[in-house]
Amino acid sequence: MNHSAAQAIFGLNPAWIATTVFIAVYALVISEKINRAILALLGAGLMILCGVLTQEAAIRGVDFNTIGLLLGMMVIVAITGKSGVFQYVAIWSAKKVNAQPVGVMIMLSLVTAVFSALLDNVTTVLLIVPVTLLITEELKVKPYPYLLAEILCSNIGGTATLIGDPPNIMIGSAVGIPFNDFVIHLTPVVLVILAATVVVFYFVWGKELTTTEQARRRVMSFQESEAIKDPRLLKQSLAVLGSVIAGFVLAHSLHIEPATIAMFGAAMLLLLDNYHRTAEEQAHNVHHSFAEAEWVTLIFFLGLFILVHGLESAGVIQWMAQQLLNATGGDFKITAIAILWGSAILSAFIDNIPFVATMIPMIKSMAPTFGGEQALMPLWWALSLGACLGGNGTLIGASANLVVAGIAERAGQPIRFVQFLKSSFLLMLMSIAISHVYIWLRYL
Amino acid sequence: MNVSTIMNPNPVTLSVTETFGAALALMRDRRVRVLPVVDLQGVYQGTFDFHDVWKTLLPKAVLLGMDSLTDLSFVSDAKDILTEKLAEASTRSVGEFLDVPIEPIHPETPVKEAMLLFYQHDGDIPVVDRKTKRLVGIVSPWEIIDSLR
Amino acid sequence: MEPHSSQVIFGWSAATLATAIFIAVYALVISEKINRAILALLGAGLLILSGVLTQEAALHGVDFNTIGLLLGMMLIVNITGKSGVFQYIAIWSAKKVNAQPLGVLIMLSLVTAILSAFLDNVTTVLLIVPVTLLITEELKVEPYPFLIAEVLSSNIGGTATLIGDPPNIMIGSAIGIPFNAFVTNLTPVIIVVEAATVIAFSLVWRKHLVTTEAARQRVMQFNEAEAIKDHRLLKQALSVIGAVIVSFVLAHSLHIQPATIAMFGAATLLFLDNYRRDADHQTKHVHGAFAEAEWVTLIFFIGLFILVHGLEASGVIRWMAEQLLAATGGDFKITAIAILWSSAILSAFIDNIPFVATMIPMIKSMASTFGGADALMPLWWSLSLGACLGGNGTLIGASANLVVAGLAERAGHPIRFVRYMKSCFLMMIMSIVISHIYLYFRYL
């Protein structure tokens, strides 16, 4: 990564321009007055227009592997969602526990965690929450504990794999960590955290959740097989999803990048879903599959990568890494634990995506201090666990939280910031404490 | 030809303070499917129609308009919960059921525009004065057809 | 760009694989059985999976300047379109000529040509055709000549500038030809071609275009001011478009790339249109703006760039260029004229985008034969004129033609392939003859 020549505008130092633009965008994103995609694009544009980066250097800063992986998975999941398989699984799991309210809560939490590990968290909650609201309305129980449990489990489950949560995708892509390493290093601790969280929920909410026999029977008479809208599409999409995950597992030994697998999988599924249709229907379907992707998130990523690359090429990131190392005295253990807790607390209040985007080049630049890239691995796990699990701390900590809060509000069941904070912040601290013990025992 | 020449200037209206139950009864008695709702000054507040009724009775989750829940083909067909909901809603005032009012038309709107609105969604369209926002009439499909014969 | 080391799969050379995949995709795109975006993505994926390109090399082949410019302009135009300004201009221009059918035809053709020079052709016809159908219905005249004139004018007008038509965007971006160079080299000949086309049209259709006084009065009563739906948005959109076009003119001297300008303009317009709204509405609007972009086209471009890069990296393009030079005997004049006519004839029958994508690296590789990159300029103008104007030859020659045909069919006025070809193939030949004369006298 060569530094772009310091063509400064108005004779200003590029490091100052980059820092100012970056902080301004960050502050405005936190204020939530203006949509973050707009801000990231404007900030990226300013980086180029002020001469911190050329357009070419800016594009080089964009991690298209992350963008491609996200887009590919979004397309696959959006098409799969149309088959009705997620409603099927949710209803099936609720009926498996005889529609007992506590059992339903635990089952839906586990289903959410498993889906989140393999799909985007936001997509998972978008699929699960409406069915949850339907079931709780029929059971006449308050949906709040269910939604809360699903939020927490989606962020916990998402931490388990490379593709589960954007921070993992970014870390995996930037550092080249294969899918299997995430499974080996993160899945065990995530299982412990998930179990601990569900147990806490069982004891806190177990007694309050009661329903009538009549209401329970209403849910038991749900016909989950009716939820499958397109059995043909179901088979196709499960086959593609299965091959994509197998592809991720084998990717490293085949020298294939995750974005290629996800985009090729998306193209295959589009082909299977469309080849028998007319040209006009195909154009319509293909357009919609891409149009339904979360463009606000993708464009935010794009702008953010450019902003961070601006900081990086102006030398600001190296300076920040140096400051962090000075603060931790260059001690590896202290650095790892500081990254874990620092990420967790910060991610509880600010969006973890820009935070992780900034941390990645910072940690990368510590390689010489700690003896090479291989030695850095525990720091990546600390960053992933801190940033992903930290999102559980507050209602604004992760996108999935905000999405659930939005749906709940529209359904007349608003989730309040403080109410959420009371239950979730302690659970988040518990999860970080478990991670701390895990990292300490396994890596330090 | 604009809307003022064909509209019904004396529509059956509903006050925001009337109850949901009274509104349903009025729709049945007067054989209308859309009731314009006005406040005490006669200012247009929105319309009450069966869309509002179904919205009240259906499970909230399906009303979110989300791709992940677009049908109810798999749910139980128990009617007890619906009966309860209807009884509960009947005593509340219609004001609580009005969502964002459908964009009304004005006396000087071309009739073609009104026809386009009928084509897009069925249901009578309230006519509102551009300045005072008072309800001045209503247009139903028959008023257009009759004016063309 | 050094050729990628020829890793082979199944014992095939990289060149054979790249050629086979490229031809297969090309053939399937022409057959129109499967959506072209799916095909391009699958083809690109196969190139990577079979080892012809790495994912990194593939991304390197994507011209993100073209993608960014297209996306940025799509966003700006979609937002601007909501203000109703295009309907306003169409109605205003029809009333300026007292709603006389022939005058309306000429005015709408000119409006289409001018708008197409600055906006995407497909967008332009999508904006103009519905108003045209409305006016012709009120005038009780056959819409056919109006629609055909608009199709021809949109392809002609689009040729005039860097941003008017995708082939120009691709050529400009790949070679770094500035906006102003397109204006000084292509706009003069385009004005002549447009004038000749409108005159020819008027002579042919003059007798058919008659209406009654009552019908004329109906159109004169249209109130174009009511067409403006959002005055505030209108002012914002027009100032952003103005600023973007001024920046294109100045871009070269300021060392700014077109994609930066278009995307920054789009971000500014999104900002202006959204900053007063609440967070939910902003998200909806920003998502909506991106969702409405033509993803089928953009994804097709991305896949295509990768496919062509595969050919290039495996040396196939260089071989093709050598064959073309051998055929023209290495004579510059013959090469230029051959490019003009063959681009025109081919573009009349096949999509000009993959054709231009393939031609660009071919022509680039001729630089050494003809004495440097600067000497190639006339070839670029030949390619642009041939590929853009050639699209007028048949109903399937350009996207705008197909879009108008689709709209006309839905409106109950189908445009038949043969009827179109009878009226338009000669018009296309006329435009290429004019271009031939222009190129000959100015450059050869």
Side-chain angles (χ1 to χ4, degrees):
Chain A
M1 240 157 265
N2 52 336
H3 296 200
S4 81
Q7 309 157 286
I9 196 169
F10 308 134
L12 288 167
N13 178 344
W16 283 113
I17 301 175
T19 312
T20 312
V21 172
F22 188 83
I23 291 177
V25 170
Y26 223 108
L28 285 166
V29 167
I30 292 173
S31 82
E32 297 193 337
K33 290 263 183 291
I34 315 268
N35 183 278
R36 55 193 190 143
I38 301 178
L39 291 170
L41 268 190
L42 284 175
L46 284 176
M47 286 277 183
I48 300 173
L49 294 178
C50 295
V52 177
L53 293 170
T54 61
Q55 179 178 295
E56 230 188 320
I59 291 172
R60 240 185 293 121
V62 176
D63 181 351
F64 285 104
N65 190 44
T66 295
I67 307 269
L69 178 51
L70 282 168
L71 178 60
M73 292 307 287
M74 283 174 187
V75 171
I76 293 175
V77 173
I79 299 174
T80 308
K82 290 197 211 316
S83 69
V85 61
F86 300 107
Q87 287 95 304
Y88 177 92
V89 174
I91 296 168
W92 171 86
S93 71
K95 286 173 72 176
K96 267 287 140 187
V97 291
N98 281 314
Q100 293 293 355
V102 185
V104 171
M105 184 176 78
I106 293 172
M107 282 303 263
L108 289 180
S109 304
L110 296 179
V111 167
T112 307
V114 173
F115 277 148
S116 284
L118 302 177
L119 315 174
D120 174 44
N121 295 350
V122 170
T123 312
T124 305
V125 296
L126 281 175
L127 292 164
I128 293 292
V129 166
V131 192
T132 306
L133 289 171
L134 188 66
I135 294 175
T136 54
E137 187 169 331
E138 296 279 343
L139 284 177
K140 288 200 170 176
V141 291
K142 54 178 171 178
Y144 177 72
Y146 294 80
L147 300 182
L148 186 64
E150 286 172 6
I151 289 176
L152 296 178
C153 291
S154 95
N155 290 322
I156 294 170
T159 318
T161 68
L162 166 69
I163 53 173
D165 211 2
N168 285 3
I169 297 182
M170 292 160 81
I171 296 170
S173 174
V175 191
I177 305 175
F179 186 86
N180 301 352
D181 282 18
F182 276 90
V183 174
I184 296 166
H185 293 273
L186 293 182
T187 308
V189 60
V190 166
L191 286 177
V192 175
I193 292 168
L194 182 64
T197 307
V198 170
V199 168
V200 171
F201 260 87
Y202 178 79
F203 283 110
V204 174
W205 295 96
K207 296 229 179 66
E208 285 186 42
L209 296 174
T210 52
T211 185
T212 61
E213 186 55 27
Q214 198 189 10
R216 222 169 49 65
R217 269 209 300 275
R218 274 204 296 267
V219 174
M220 290 307 286
S221 69
F222 276 26
Q223 292 291 328
E224 67 267 34
S225 56
E226 283 288 319
I228 300 290
K229 278 161 214 121
D230 187 343
R232 185 192 143 94
L233 177 64
L234 174 71
K235 276 179 220 145
Q236 292 171 342
S237 50
L238 291 184
V240 168
L241 207 53
S243 330
V244 165
I245 291 170
F248 287 137
V249 173
L250 300 174
H252 199 62
S253 40
L254 296 175
H255 303 285
I256 300 172
E257 302 288 321
T260 302
I261 297 172
M263 288 301 292
F264 193 71
M268 279 305 294
L269 188 50
L270 282 169
L271 176 72
L272 291 172
D273 189 26
N274 282 292
Y275 70 92
H276 54 282
R277 301 180 200 270
T278 66
E280 216 166 302
E281 278 177 338
Q282 287 194 22
H284 183 260
N285 278 341
V286 176
H287 174 83
H288 272 270
S289 299
F290 285 103
E292 279 171 28
E294 285 176 63
W295 289 107
V296 171
T297 306
L298 292 174
I299 298 294
F300 179 56
F301 266 103
L302 205 74
L304 195 64
F305 282 130
I306 296 175
L307 284 166
V308 172
H309 192 59
L311 281 187
E312 205 180 342
S313 57
V316 180
I317 296 276
Q318 287 88 325
W319 179 85
M320 283 164 64
Q322 201 49 53
Q323 298 305 305
L324 180 66
L325 286 177
N326 289 345
T328 60
D331 181 285
F332 188 70
K333 289 183 191 182
I334 299 178
T335 308
I337 298 303
I339 289 174
L340 175 70
W341 285 94
S343 311
I345 303 297
L346 279 170
S347 295
F349 295 97
I350 61 170
D351 194 341
N352 59 13
I353 293 172
F355 173 74
V356 171
T358 322
M359 286 300 286
I360 288 174
M362 260 178 76
I363 296 183
K364 259 189 173 172
S365 74
M366 295 176 184
T369 314
F370 294 131
E373 288 193 4
Q374 217 41 52
L376 293 180
M377 292 312 288
L379 300 186
W380 298 121
W381 307 135
L383 176 63
S384 162
L385 288 166
C388 295
L389 298 173
N392 272 336
T394 71
L395 194 55
I396 56 165
S399 323
N401 313 11
L402 287 167
V403 167
V404 175
I407 303 172
E409 179 136 16
R410 272 159 57 204
Q413 305 282 348
I415 299 177
R416 300 274 163 244
F417 188 86
V418 175
Q419 183 194 21
F420 183 90
L421 188 76
K422 276 186 206 155
S423 359
S424 68
F425 203 80
L426 281 176
L427 283 169
M428 185 275 278
L429 291 180
M430 176 185 83
S431 69
I432 298 299
I434 296 173
S435 306
H436 186 144
V437 173
Y438 174 79
I439 289 179
W440 183 263
L441 293 179
R442 182 155 175 189
Y443 304 106
L444 304 178
Chain B
M1 186 167 73
N2 63 26
V3 162
S4 68
T5 61
I6 59 152
M7 69 184 184
N8 166 10
N10 300 304
V12 183
T13 63
L14 198 61
S15 154
V16 272
T17 53
E18 301 266 14
T19 64
F20 182 94
L24 274 179
L26 190 62
M27 281 164 82
R28 171 170 290 169
D29 293 346
R30 303 294 296 266
R31 293 171 188 274
V32 291
R33 291 169 64 96
V34 178
L35 285 173
V37 180
V38 293
D39 67 8
L40 295 174
Q41 285 73 43
V43 173
Y44 174 71
Q45 300 292 315
T47 55
F48 183 84
D49 55 24
F50 276 107
H51 182 258
D52 300 299
V53 179
W54 307 137
K55 203 176 73 183
T56 310
L57 297 182
L58 279 167
K60 288 194 191 81
V62 81
L63 300 174
L64 299 171
M66 296 177 60
D67 288 340
S68 49
L69 191 67
T70 51
D71 72 315
L72 291 174
S73 52
F74 52 84
V75 300
S76 76
D77 52 6
K79 86 167 193 183
D80 48 357
I81 201 165
L82 298 174
T83 317
E84 278 171 39
K85 277 185 176 175
L86 184 61
E88 188 270 336
S90 290
T91 57
R92 288 157 61 195
S93 74
V94 289
E96 293 177 47
F97 297 90
L98 300 179
D99 34 25
V100 189
I102 29 172
E103 200 55 43
I105 55 176
H106 309 293
E108 43 303 335
T109 303
V111 170
K112 275 184 192 151
E113 168 76 3
M115 285 164 61
L116 177 62
L117 294 174
F118 281 127
Y119 170 72
Q120 286 162 344
H121 35 75
D122 196 23
D124 304 352
I125 307 169
V127 184
V128 170
D129 185 275
R130 216 185 262 268
K131 284 207 193 71
T132 63
K133 309 286 179 209
R134 277 165 189 265
L135 182 80
V136 292
I138 196 161
V139 180
S140 72
W142 288 115
E143 275 132 12
I144 297 183
I145 301 292
D146 292 344
S147 74
L148 298 178
R149 285 203 274 239
Chain C
M1 254 169 256
E2 82 271 40
H4 192 258
S5 64
S6 47
Q7 295 163 295
V8 284
I9 195 168
F10 307 136
W12 289 15
S13 77
T16 315
L17 264 174
T19 312
I21 294 173
F22 188 84
I23 291 176
V25 170
Y26 222 110
L28 285 165
V29 167
I30 292 174
S31 82
E32 298 194 332
K33 290 263 182 292
I34 311 222
N35 184 276
R36 54 192 190 144
I38 301 179
L39 290 170
L41 267 190
L42 284 176
L46 283 176
L47 271 187
I48 301 173
L49 295 177
S50 62
V52 176
L53 293 172
T54 61
Q55 180 177 294
E56 224 186 323
L59 285 171
H60 205 76
V62 178
D63 181 352
F64 285 105
N65 190 45
T66 295
I67 307 282
L69 178 51
L70 282 168
L71 178 59
M73 292 307 289
M74 284 174 187
L75 292 172
I76 294 175
V77 174
N78 283 342
I79 300 173
T80 308
K82 292 200 203 328
S83 70
V85 62
F86 300 109
Q87 288 92 308
Y88 177 91
I89 295 174
I91 297 170
W92 172 85
S93 70
K95 285 172 73 174
K96 268 285 138 184
V97 289
N98 281 315
Q100 294 293 356
L102 183 61
V104 172
L105 182 132
I106 294 172
M107 281 302 262
L108 289 181
S109 302
L110 296 179
V111 166
T112 308
I114 293 168
L115 288 176
S116 283
F118 296 101
L119 316 174
D120 175 43
N121 296 349
V122 171
T123 314
T124 307
V125 296
L126 280 176
L127 292 164
I128 293 293
V129 166
V131 192
T132 306
L133 289 171
L134 186 66
I135 293 175
T136 53
E137 186 171 334
E138 299 279 349
L139 284 177
K140 289 196 176 176
V141 293
E142 195 194 358
Y144 179 76
F146 292 81
L147 299 182
I148 299 293
E150 286 169 8
V151 167
L152 295 178
S153 296
S154 95
N155 290 321
I156 294 170
T159 319
T161 68
L162 167 68
I163 55 173
D165 211 2
N168 285 2
I169 298 183
M170 291 159 82
I171 295 171
S173 173
I175 321 299
I177 305 176
F179 187 85
N180 302 354
F182 276 91
V183 174
T184 49
N185 290 284
L186 291 181
T187 308
V189 60
I190 287 307
I191 291 175
V192 175
V193 170
E194 173 69 13
T197 306
V198 169
I199 291 169
F201 235 87
S202 310
L203 293 175
V204 174
W205 290 96
R206 192 169 30 119
K207 295 223 180 77
H208 296 264
L209 297 172
V210 284
T211 186
T212 63
E213 185 57 26
R216 228 171 46 67
Q217 282 308 322
R218 276 201 298 270
V219 173
M220 292 308 285
Q221 278 168 17
F222 276 24
N223 184 1
E224 66 266 33
E226 280 287 317
I228 301 290
K229 279 164 208 107
D230 187 340
H231 284 94
R232 190 189 146 92
L233 176 63
L234 174 71
K235 275 181 218 143
Q236 292 170 344
L238 291 184
S239 19
V240 168
I241 290 184
V244 165
I245 291 173
V246 170
S247 309
F248 282 138
V249 173
L250 301 176
H252 198 62
S253 40
L254 296 175
H255 302 286
I256 301 172
Q257 303 289 312
T260 302
I261 297 171
M263 287 303 291
F264 193 73
T268 308
L269 187 52
L270 280 170
F271 173 79
L272 291 172
D273 188 28
N274 282 293
Y275 71 92
R276 300 156 288 132
R277 304 181 202 265
D278 65 47
D280 266 347
H281 277 94
Q282 287 194 20
T283 310
K284 218 167 137 190
H285 273 89
V286 177
H287 176 83
F290 281 98
E292 276 173 28
E294 285 175 63
W295 290 106
V296 171
T297 305
L298 293 173
I299 299 289
F300 180 57
F301 265 104
I302 291 176
L304 195 65
F305 281 130
I306 296 175
L307 284 167
V308 172
H309 192 60
L311 284 186
E312 207 180 344
S314 54
V316 179
I317 295 277
R318 203 167 313 153
W319 178 83
M320 283 164 65
E322 278 160 19
Q323 298 305 305
L324 180 65
L325 285 177
T328 60
D331 181 284
F332 190 70
K333 288 185 192 179
I334 299 178
T335 308
I337 297 303
I339 289 174
L340 175 71
W341 283 94
S342 56
S343 306
I345 303 296
L346 279 170
S347 295
F349 295 97
I350 63 170
D351 195 341
N352 60 13
I353 293 172
F355 175 73
V356 171
T358 322
M359 287 300 285
I360 288 174
M362 261 177 74
I363 296 182
K364 252 189 177 174
S365 72
M366 296 176 183
S368 53
T369 313
F370 294 131
D374 279 334
L376 292 180
M377 292 311 289
L379 300 186
W380 298 121
W381 308 134
S382 297
L383 177 63
S384 162
L385 288 167
C388 295
L389 297 176
N392 272 336
T394 70
L395 193 55
I396 57 164
S399 323
N401 312 13
L402 288 167
V403 167
V404 174
L407 287 175
E409 178 139 15
R410 275 159 55 198
H413 301 284
I415 300 177
R416 300 278 164 239
F417 188 87
V418 175
R419 187 180 180 200
Y420 177 93
M421 206 163 148
K422 276 189 201 151
S423 4
C424 300
F425 201 79
L426 279 177
M427 295 272 189
M428 185 273 276
I429 299 288
M430 176 186 81
S431 69
I432 299 298
V433 169
I434 296 174
S435 306
H436 186 142
I437 295 170
Y438 173 79
L439 287 171
Y440 191 81
F441 281 106
R442 183 151 175 195
Y443 305 104
L444 304 178

